[in-house]
Amino acid sequence: MHSIISPAVLYWGTPVILITTENEDGTHNISGMSSAWWFADRCVLGLLAMSQTTQNMLRTKKCVLNLPSQDMTPHINLLSRTTGTNPVPEYKASLGYTYVKDKFGHAKLTPQKSDLVGSPRIRECPVQMEAEVVDWHEMMSDLPDRKGLMLSIEVKTLRVHMLDELRLEGHENRIDTDKWHPLFMVFSEYYGRSEKKLEESDLAKIDEENYRL
């Protein structure tokens, strides 16, 4: 039997991303999020328009998408209710957010110089993607009182950095999915994944290079 419900959020399960961006004064911000999806070398990010990360991305057109592993939840929790915006917006203050200038120090993370963008990578993250903003759109344009509150931002991946131990043996550009254990957010809770595939995928029989655009 199915019942009709109205959840406040619809986070069915997507990977957690730590976005690093450059502030106006040359310092750097980290923001955790999970409203993201990929197609080819593009990623679409759902972000609040007022956030420091969003404003930095629209100004510099650059960012780094750092993917934490499932054992990094202590670092993520240290960032969870922090903001790089000062003063703290009223909405975030009501949820218990506080302003933190040095997100790296606060979350006990290490900046790592990027190759192509000004924002640093996060050394502890097994996967890091340098990216640039190519387009953005206002969401909820059908609701006059909410239009502009959220943006969908399309970014293009410029360079992917990955720990060597995650590479699939015998392949230059493939990931060993048995070794990669990303962190997922499911309805505001953190989850990992099982050690092995549930079963062999028929789609995996297609050479990944066939999908390269």
Side-chain angles (χ1 to χ4, degrees):
M1 178 179 176
H2 289 71
S3 299
I4 297 174
I5 66 171
S6 180
V9 294
L10 296 173
Y11 295 155
W12 300 106
T14 47
V16 173
I17 304 174
L18 298 180
I19 305 178
T20 47
T21 55
E22 188 171 5
N23 296 318
E24 286 187 282
D25 62 2
T27 60
H28 300 102
N29 189 56
I30 308 175
S31 179
M33 59 89 70
S34 64
S35 298
W37 60 274
W38 279 266
F39 192 84
D41 66 345
R42 306 302 168 101
C43 181
V44 177
L45 308 166
L47 294 165
L48 290 174
M50 67 179 179
S51 77
Q52 186 68 32
T53 290
T54 303
Q55 294 304 308
N56 287 346
M57 288 176 64
L58 296 182
R59 188 186 70 258
T60 67
K61 302 297 189 292
K62 298 290 191 296
C63 68
V64 180
L65 308 181
N66 303 273
L67 301 187
S69 54
Q70 63 187 27
D71 60 353
M72 289 183 63
T73 51
H75 300 282
I76 313 300
N77 267 331
L78 288 172
L79 288 169
S80 291
R81 284 197 279 183
T82 66
T83 178
T85 303
N86 188 27
V88 180
E90 184 177 345
Y91 170 70
K92 286 193 172 183
S94 70
L95 299 176
Y97 279 69
T98 58
Y99 169 70
V100 172
K101 179 68 172 179
D102 180 11
K103 296 281 193 76
F104 275 96
H106 185 79
K108 302 176 182 178
L109 295 169
T110 312
Q112 186 176 16
K113 183 176 174 56
S114 295
D115 296 338
L116 305 174
V117 304
S119 311
R121 296 174 282 147
I122 298 176
R123 184 181 298 276
E124 289 78 5
C125 289
V127 179
Q128 311 148 337
M129 290 169 282
E130 299 182 50
E132 68 177 354
V133 175
V134 295
D135 203 359
W136 60 274
H137 303 276
E138 289 185 343
M139 298 180 66
M140 294 190 171
S141 59
D142 59 321
L143 301 174
D145 62 328
R146 299 184 188 179
K147 180 181 178 182
L149 289 179
M150 295 185 294
L151 303 180
S152 61
I153 303 178
E154 178 188 347
V155 300
K156 176 171 70 175
T157 304
L158 301 176
R159 181 162 293 176
V160 178
H161 305 263
M162 186 182 67
L163 286 180
D164 286 339
E165 50 263 42
L166 296 181
R167 296 177 64 176
L168 183 63
E169 186 175 354
H171 296 267
E172 183 179 0
N173 293 306
R174 291 191 59 183
I175 294 89
D176 189 330
T177 54
D178 282 336
K179 296 179 180 178
W180 168 227
H181 299 290
L183 177 64
F184 294 96
M185 175 165 283
V186 183
F187 289 95
S188 300
E189 297 286 356
Y190 297 124
Y191 288 89
R193 45 155 283 191
S194 62
E195 293 296 316
K196 298 294 183 180
K197 295 184 283 286
L198 296 177
E199 64 177 82
E200 292 296 326
S201 166
D202 198 50
L203 282 175
K205 297 174 183 177
I206 301 172
D207 190 330
E208 283 188 7
E209 288 298 320
N210 289 313
Y211 296 113
R212 191 183 295 276
L213 298 179

